[in-house]
Amino acid sequence: KFSDVRDEESLFRSISECRVFKSSAEIDVMRYTNWVSSMAHVEVMRQCKPGMMEYQLESLFQHHTYTHGGCRHMSYTCICACGPSANILHYGHAGRPNSRLLEENMMALLDMGAEYNCYASDITCSYPVTGSFTDDQTHIYNAVLAAQVKVIDLLKPDVSWLEMHREAEREILKGLCRCGVLDDCGKDLDSVIENMLDADVGAIFMPHGLGHFIGIDTHDVGGYPPGKPARSERPGVRKLRTTRQLEEGMVITVEPGCYFIDPLIDAAMSDERQKHFLTERVNDFRGFGGVRLEDDIRITSDGCENLTLCPRAIEEVLDVMSGGAWPPNTDVLPEMKRRWATCKRGKMEFLDM
């Protein structure tokens, strides 16, 4: 009988590995899906203002991706987390259905991605609903942006994804030291940051993994196959959906974040390994929510290509929110490795910046 000889385990492993590595045709579809979703994020960014409801931002995104991109489905339930909502990592579910009113000085964390021909996009933008950053919002946003830029700059074949997570943590911890949330003890900052990593301080503020494979599914398969690095048991890094070495043809999200989650802060302030790093300034950020920036990245033979085309530098965000054109005439953040493109009559066309 066939049931006696079929080998489901080998089949699963083979299909999983096929899904990890994308063909040029698959990349073309994912580049289009990212373009549609990026332009939809820009449209939502332009419309966002105090007095709206979170679900209105979700509705605007869905309308744009379907009307202007033919994307009938979302890759996942939209996360439109504003103000304190943003410290709930997978907000937007049935129990928290994007139902908060946007108020002055809130940060919006919008994690939304459309699906096209079964291929996903997964993009997160964060920005102030008023269209201008406060000093504290600037500190946290720039810390997360520095983490994203650092990781994207390092991405290439043979790089360890676990080490990329650590690099993101380092940049976020540096930013938190600069704004006084963490105490560098007046010592060499780099050595203090390593001590913080040893004490798992990074996991207090970024309790999720840096990113995941993406393709036919948002959180795609192939993260922990036999013979590859196993999952860590350390806080923070144990949430990584893979610890593999990167290889050409992979597509992976880069999504550093910084959040102020009361239970994690409270636990850290009573933890003997961690409490001496935190200052009273951390209490100023209770209720802040969080910031996450997420792009979809293709690993190339000698580096990477950013498939996502969203505003990232603060000046880009502010310009778009005040009605500026997008894509811009000049790339002010080439470190993001965005491959600029537009779509005309269903065909992607690359742009020179």
Side-chain angles (χ1 to χ4, degrees), residues 113-170:
E115 175 189 300
Y116 187 77
N117 280 0
C118 298
Y119 280 85
S121 60
D122 190 356
I123 301 171
T124 307
C125 295
S126 297
Y127 45 87
V129 301
T130 53
S132 61
F133 286 81
T134 66
D135 288 345
D136 284 346
Q137 289 170 347
T138 298
H139 283 305
I140 304 307
Y141 186 93
N142 279 337
V144 175
L145 180 60
Q148 195 180 41
V149 168
K150 181 63 175 290
V151 170
I152 289 174
D153 181 60
L154 293 172
L155 291 184
K156 60 182 180 180
D158 298 325
V159 163
S160 163
W161 189 241
L162 175 58
E163 181 54 33
M164 292 302 95
H165 180 96
R166 288 303 194 193
E167 288 291 348
E169 286 185 316
R170 289 184 181 99

Side-chain angles (χ1 to χ4, degrees), residues 81-328:
C82 297
S85 303
N87 65 20
I88 302 172
L89 299 184
H90 285 106
Y91 184 80
H93 54 75
R96 299 275 189 171
N98 294 327
S99 56
R100 184 183 290 274
L101 176 72
L102 277 62
E103 299 177 12
E104 297 283 343
N105 296 321
M106 279 185 172
M107 284 291 290
L109 186 160
L110 306 184
D111 187 338
M112 303 183 286
E115 175 189 300
Y116 187 77
N117 280 0
C118 298
Y119 280 85
S121 60
D122 190 356
I123 301 171
T124 307
C125 295
S126 297
Y127 45 87
V129 301
T130 53
S132 61
F133 286 81
T134 66
D135 288 345
D136 284 346
Q137 289 170 347
T138 298
H139 283 305
I140 304 307
Y141 186 93
N142 279 337
V144 175
L145 180 60
Q148 195 180 41
V149 168
K150 181 63 175 290
V151 170
I152 289 174
D153 181 60
L154 293 172
L155 291 184
K156 60 182 180 180
D158 298 325
V159 163
S160 163
W161 189 241
L162 175 58
E163 181 54 33
M164 292 302 95
H165 180 96
R166 288 303 194 193
E167 288 291 348
E169 286 185 316
R170 289 184 181 99
E171 293 301 319
I172 291 169
L173 293 174
K174 288 176 185 176
L176 292 173
C177 286
R178 294 189 186 103
C179 69
V181 170
L182 297 177
D183 188 357
D184 63 12
C185 307
K187 299 178 181 178
D188 174 67
L189 182 58
D190 288 337
S191 63
V192 172
I193 295 299
E194 295 308 309
N195 292 337
M196 290 179 180
L197 291 179
D198 290 341
D200 300 316
V201 175
I204 302 168
F205 301 98
M206 190 172 82
H208 60 73
L210 176 62
H212 51 81
F213 291 137
I214 182 171
I216 295 176
D217 201 359
T218 306
H219 296 155
D220 217 347
V221 295
Y224 289 99
K228 300 296 183 181
R231 187 184 296 272
S232 172
E233 295 300 319
R234 296 286 296 274
V237 293
R238 68 185 174 206
K239 299 296 185 180
L240 281 168
R241 295 181 183 269
T242 187
T243 52
R244 293 177 64 160
Q245 303 287 112
L246 297 181
E247 299 179 56
E248 182 181 0
M250 291 177 169
V251 179
I252 197 163
T253 66
V254 176
E255 49 180 304
C258 181
Y259 317 85
F260 297 89
I261 303 171
D262 284 347
L264 297 184
I265 294 171
D266 293 340
M269 295 183 81
S270 61
D271 187 305
E272 293 299 324
R273 300 179 308 139
Q274 299 174 337
K275 64 181 183 181
H276 62 282
F277 290 117
L278 276 69
T279 72
E280 288 299 318
R281 173 99 163 99
V282 72
N283 293 314
D284 295 340
F285 288 86
R286 292 182 184 270
F288 178 96
V291 168
R292 181 166 66 252
L293 300 174
E294 180 179 13
D295 291 359
D296 300 347
I297 309 295
R298 175 175 76 101
I299 306 302
T300 63
S301 61
D302 59 354
C304 69
E305 173 195 351
N306 192 340
L307 302 176
T308 303
L309 300 176
C310 285
R312 289 299 181 224
I314 281 182
E315 64 183 278
E316 293 177 332
V317 172
L318 296 181
D319 185 58
V320 165
M321 295 192 77
S322 62
W326 193 262

